Amino acid sequence: MKKVLLITLAAAGALVAKKKMDEGRHEQALWAEATDTVEKA
């Protein structure tokens, strides 16, 4: 029973970490777009 609980907690922790990483990448992409230099045609 303890093994199942530990595996469940580890999986939940991995999901939270992945979500945080994805949010960070999205935020980085927004900043890159906002600060990108605009070339005049």
Side-chain angles (χ1 to χ4, degrees), residues 5-34:
L5 181 61
L6 286 174
I7 291 171
T8 304
L9 287 174
L15 286 174
V16 170
K18 176 157 177 28
K19 185 173 181 176
K20 282 285 196 185
M21 287 174 54
D22 289 344
E23 287 174 359
R25 284 191 188 125
H26 180 68
E27 185 74 19
Q28 230 176 3
L30 287 175
W31 274 107
E33 182 180 345

